[in-house]
Amino acid sequence: MLDATDTRLLSALQKDAHLTAHQLGEMLNLSASQAGRRRQRLEAEGYITGYTARLDPLMLGLQVQGFIQVHLGTHGPEQSASFARMVDTRPEITSAWTMTGEADYLLHVYCDDLSALNSLLHEVILPHPAVARVQSQIVMDQLKRDAPLPT
């Protein structure tokens, strides 16, 4: 069970995962050792699943961000597993969700340019035997970056 101090610690770490135990302690009115133990407990209990760096896609030359809705022609465990394996092998696909509604999957992609997006669609996703059709949307501007989870 999380208490108010735990949620404040999680919120702080989502904003800056580099915070030291000393810095966390100052923010939370705890000693550095108490803050460090809380962080370790939250990691061990699975509230904190890892630490990553957020990179700027434009600085990396990834000029096109998009979403691809995928509609399967056939549904079954083999088709789903095969599609999931393909998704897992493609670095352009940064996240994927199974969905309710018309589309079966929603893919978030980053590509170098429109040609690379076209290749991903026509040479990788559409040829997959389970895929019936796709619908893609290109991001024109991102109003809000991926934000921390509410705590």
Side-chain angles (χ1 to χ4, degrees), residues 89-122:
T89 66
R90 302 304 304 194
E92 310 95 322
I93 302 171
T94 59
S95 52
W97 301 271
T98 58
M99 305 295 291
T100 62
E102 190 178 335
D104 296 299
Y105 295 94
L106 179 65
L107 311 179
H108 186 200
V109 302
Y110 286 91
C111 295
D112 292 341
D113 51 31
L114 288 175
S115 177
L117 175 62
N118 187 56
S119 294
L120 177 64
L121 288 168
H122 292 280

Side-chain angles (χ1 to χ4, degrees), residues 78-98:
E78 291 176 21
Q79 291 84 1
S80 294
S82 173
F83 185 78
R85 281 191 302 275
M86 182 272 297
V87 165
D88 194 45
T89 66
R90 302 304 304 194
E92 310 95 322
I93 302 171
T94 59
S95 52
W97 301 271
T98 58

Side-chain angles (χ1 to χ4, degrees), residues 15-51:
K15 293 175 185 148
D16 183 359
H18 285 289
L19 290 172
T20 65
H22 179 75
Q23 291 168 317
L24 283 170
E26 285 182 355
M27 295 172 77
L28 303 171
N29 295 320
L30 298 173
S31 69
S33 61
Q34 288 174 314
R37 282 193 300 274
R38 277 186 183 256
R39 180 197 304 226
Q40 288 174 336
R41 179 180 54 80
L42 293 169
E43 290 169 351
E45 290 176 358
Y47 288 98
I48 299 171
T49 60
Y51 298 93

